């Protein structure tokens, strides 16, 4: 399905690593919906990923950028405006990384250099991007900026570590800058709080498969896929959501509004009823 | 602009009174987006409003129904399925009324017959509609139901009276039934929390113009119009929001995320600084 | 432990059925903390319960009242002021009942007479109580009113049925009336959202034991007991919480802020890993 | 009034600058309630403030510490345990500072060194404190930790700048560490979201007096004072709130639950109605 929802619109998409990435799906869908855009990722991610394949498919230029580096961001913004022939209409921020998670430092024994790096990469990068765009007046009136978040910003999930705090900070930055950018330029800024998704990045989180079974059973519509997330992102980029701003919208099959479902309770109760199962603490 | 977002989809739209109504705008937009639907309102509202004009414009049949009356709802559902040739894909619930507001009973001196009537008309009607649809299996898989709400469900606004409680109940019913309908039929149920809107119905709320100036100045994008609300409603009916359910989404120019804006503070401070103004309590 | 936190304070306590009731524990603790109060419940509840035993222990008079009946409430308020020698300082509302739950009508097949009765008993009774107090100017300045709620007001829990909607309505009424009563009389109104508790009333909810194991494992401090809830209620009645109003405070060992805990995940994963367990849907 | 609520309890109080400080009031009240504790602040704050006067009044030792410095925190924790004769039962974190605010860098033109410093001082310091306590096993079972927050964590207030994001991060850290510390040691961690308060620190925020008039008029009980905040903090340190954890509790006279009050609307409308007032944008 394609509706020409982004016909004539220009954008920048961060964070497409490989075809499992949500950003990858957003790029594919934005292309189908008539948008032109540049793609960006860190040089490292570009080496390991397959972004050039995506770029070819979408007729997009790839501009490497470390999203924590202002010079890189300035270069990205300026080049994007050159290539696209003017200001952009939408931006996707899909960036997150925790060295504490990678190095298996638990939350009560984090390294603070890592913690600040987590915040810089996963949250402040969003502010840096917005401030750079603001400086260059790089977004058209009624443009739309979306960042991807996760319910860990509101509720603690075992093992999500300092990424939870980074997502809370990210959502706060979306609100804070959403006020400024809305007031000054009629530009909206929102976050989408997506179901846990088996991307190459998300796959690294400890115990993700048990959690995904639980969220699948808790969510009346099941976990949302990367494709579905891309569809909803397109909506937030389109002219049909012009007055939605400073919001965090849950795209999660209903998980965030559940306390306990029948299907999850059945699976849980099976463990309770099991007499031969190994003891659990 | 039209995108064929609802091409081939069938629906039922409650609550179009006259061309200021949000439901009216939703009907117009749904028609433009390729949907076919029936329209419904109470016999009284139909007498005072101009729904037949809308029906003609949209090629829609009007079926009168008191949304608190199960027989009426059963008739509406059955006739709609007959006319539309099968199950529906979307429903809009835009219904609310408080006799306590109309009769100027303040919140600490309500009449309880009125209070129950407020809840029955503004909230239970939504449950009755859903239960009737469920009974007749009247909604297709991946169908979408939307009810219109207001931020009074979360925060107290002077003069909104028992309608605030009715909206809180409405949003709860959306969650509760959203779980059942999601689990059983993959159908999603959401509410849109819309800016104060100068509809014929909304216009009756006391002091609405001062409040609307305030919300306009507080919201970085300004108050959302009925047309804009209709656009976002179309999105929630479309296939692009399949995994959003049990949510209350603020469509309000950012108001719900604001504590104090520069523009509202300036207006407020002018009053503070005014030496010749009449005293206020 | 006793601190004289309610020394010289007068109150009314609704809903003590037997010694498992939260209201019972609140009465005991209020007595220990130096308060005098009246007790009330419906005639039926009084017949089945042991409220007279509690009354004796606390030197309290019992005044029967159906909390949905204005005459009964007027009688209760007037008699309480007579007996206690003046206005009251605190009131506990601990009332809830659903005929749909009792008669095993599922949420998508409720009887609407029952639904309205659920709302009348569990939610409107709170408004009726407050409106009656307001009419008789029955609460001292800086008085405190507390109603007991449950997280089902925010999140769907399988089987909680129309009680979820009733709790959402209850919390909204607390906010709405909290504004009026705060503005006019400096009286605060809050709800406490308590862990699932094995009271005689709460015990009737379907599948409560599996759910309580889950919430126990999800909550870092475990489920909160009735005694602990009583302690926190005393705090909200005391002069130490004078500026807390219109809030719903979670007293739940942390459950409301959890997405997934290690301990709950272990129990859940045991079911996932079990090869000999019966199939679950 | 004093109730012996903290009799036998030991603690550490951060952030008392002068007698307007909330932390100062908490120290006075904790002393009255029977606690013993150490006081701490940065060397700079100690030079400008009057903490020694407070220390004398409360029989407390002052231990200077930069809360972003692990060595200082380790020294503080170890010395406190020595002086107090064992583990502590409560800790107050009342720390916040933004160089962007001080240097008048607006939110869309912040300096990122300042931003990280804001987060380090106002938010990460809380994590560092908790991680250091965890490492030295410095808090008794059922101990209580409180940090002071502000509604800017949820809603944008003009001029609050990166402190808003810092408070969102602070509240997230309280939840994240609250899970760990609850699970491992039965220790609770909460934040209190206090009304704007005219402390020496808070007084620096731009336009605070107009805002405080607005919040005073919006809040049905008026703004909460530093003394009142201290009283509620005592409650959270006491044994009466044992099962409240990972919560952000609004202590704000009801402000957070208000959309528009009669009193604020009157003041606002006076500006709307003023014909001789200067124009505002």
């Amino acid at each position: 399905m394609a509706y020409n929802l982004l016909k004539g619109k220009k954008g920048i998409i961060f964070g497409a690593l490989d075809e499992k990435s949500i950003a990858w799906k957003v790029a594919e869908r934005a292309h189908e919906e008539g948008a032109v855009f540049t793609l960006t990722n860190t040089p490292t991610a570009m080496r390991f990923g397959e972004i050039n394949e995506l770029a070819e498919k979408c007729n997009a230029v790839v501009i490497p950028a470390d999203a924590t580096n202002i010079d890189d961001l300035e270069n990205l913004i300026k080049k994007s405006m050159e290539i696209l022939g003017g200001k952009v209409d939408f931006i996707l921020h899909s960036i997150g990384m925790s060295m504490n998670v990678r190095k298996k430092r638990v939350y009560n024994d984090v390294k603070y250099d890592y913690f600040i790096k987590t915040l810089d990469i996963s949250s402040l990068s969003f502010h840096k991007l917005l401030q750079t765009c603001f400086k260059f007046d790089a977004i058209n009136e009624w443009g739309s900026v979306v960042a991807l978040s996760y319910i860990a910003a509101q509720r603690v999930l075992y093992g999500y570590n300092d990424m939870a705090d980074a997502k809370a900070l990210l959502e706060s930055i979306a609100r804070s800058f959403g006020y400024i950018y809305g007031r000054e330029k009629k530009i909206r800024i929102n976050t989408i709080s997506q179901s846990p998704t088996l991307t190459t990045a998300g796959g690294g989180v400890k115990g993700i498969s048990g959690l995904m079974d639980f969220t699948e059973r808790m969510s009346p519509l099941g976990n949302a896929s990367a494709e579905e997330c891309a569809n909803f992102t397109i909506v937030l980029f389109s002219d049909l959501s012009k007055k939605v701003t400073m919001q965090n919208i849950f795209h999660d099959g209903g998980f965030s509004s559940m306390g306990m479902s029948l299907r999850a309770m059945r699976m849980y109760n099976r463990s309770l009823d099991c007499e031969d199962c190994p003891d659990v603490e």
Side-chain angles (χ1 to χ4, degrees), chain A residues 35-46:
Chain A
V36 293
F37 46 84
T38 56
L39 294 166
T40 183
N41 213 329
T42 59
T44 316
M46 287 176 61

Side-chain angles (χ1 to χ4, degrees), chain A residues 50-87:
Chain A
E50 301 141 26
I51 200 170
N52 289 323
E53 188 191 311
L54 176 67
E56 202 166 325
K57 198 171 165 182
C58 301
N59 275 324
V61 175
V62 183
I63 305 168
D66 171 350
T68 65
N69 182 302
I70 299 291
D71 290 339
D72 281 17
L73 287 170
E74 295 201 348
N75 178 59
L76 169 69
I77 301 299
K78 281 193 279 191
K79 283 233 174 102
S80 293
M81 289 202 285
E82 260 173 54
I83 291 165
L84 302 171
K87 300 185 194 184

Side-chain angles (χ1 to χ4, degrees), chain A residues 8-11 77 80-82 84-90 136-141 185 187:
Chain A
K9 292 198 186 293
K10 299 159 185 168
I77 301 299
S80 293
M81 289 202 285
E82 260 173 54
L84 302 171
K87 300 185 194 184
V88 302
D89 301 288
F90 64 87
F136 290 100
D137 194 13
I139 312 181
N140 280 313
E141 268 210 354
K185 305 277 181 182
I187 288 157

Side-chain angles (χ1 to χ4, degrees), chain A residues 18 35 40 81 103 105 126-127 171 188 191 209 226 231 259 272 278:
Chain A
D18 57 31
T40 183
M81 289 202 285
K103 299 285 189 188
R105 304 287 302 233
F126 193 49
H127 192 284
E171 294 181 11
R188 63 197 184 281
T191 51
S209 69
N231 279 334
L272 284 186

Side-chain angles (χ1 to χ4, degrees), chain A residues 110-128:
Chain A
V110 298
K111 245 184 99 171
Y112 289 103
D113 289 353
Y114 292 170
F115 203 143
I116 285 177
K117 201 158 185 172
T118 299
L119 300 180
D120 196 24
I121 293 177
S122 314
S123 325
L124 289 187
S125 65
F126 193 49
H127 192 284
K128 289 173 179 174

Side-chain angles (χ1 to χ4, degrees), chain A residues 140 165 170 249 263 266:
Chain A
N140 280 313
D165 302 327
L170 177 75
I249 305 183
R263 290 183 65 224
R266 276 184 185 148

Side-chain angles (χ1 to χ4, degrees), chain A residues 114-232:
Chain A
Y114 292 170
F115 203 143
I116 285 177
K117 201 158 185 172
T118 299
L119 300 180
D120 196 24
I121 293 177
S122 314
S123 325
L124 289 187
S125 65
F126 193 49
H127 192 284
K128 289 173 179 174
L129 165 64
L130 292 165
Q131 183 161 307
T132 306
C133 286
F134 198 92
K135 183 178 167 189
F136 290 100
D137 194 13
I139 312 181
N140 280 313
E141 268 210 354
W142 299 109
S144 172
V145 184
V146 170
L148 295 183
S149 192
Y150 184 48
I151 195 172
Q154 285 79 35
R155 297 191 212 150
V156 177
L157 291 118
Y158 169 65
Y160 204 68
N161 213 308
D162 57 352
M163 275 307 296
D165 302 327
K167 290 303 191 189
L169 180 58
L170 177 75
E171 294 181 11
S172 180
I173 288 171
R175 281 190 298 273
S176 298
F177 223 119
Y179 164 57
I180 305 280
Y181 236 143
R183 187 186 73 195
E184 298 296 323
K185 305 277 181 182
K186 302 295 170 202
I187 288 157
R188 63 197 184 281
I189 305 179
N190 296 286
T191 51
I192 295 178
S193 187
Q194 159 72 1
S195 294
T197 316
L198 262 187
T199 59
T200 303
V205 175
K206 196 174 157 184
I208 187 79
S209 69
L211 181 68
M212 284 188 71
D213 184 277
F214 175 71
T215 58
E216 174 74 24
R217 285 177 167 275
M218 280 288 271
S219 312
L221 299 179
N223 291 326
S225 69
E227 286 83 359
E228 290 163 334
C229 185
N231 279 334
F232 194 66

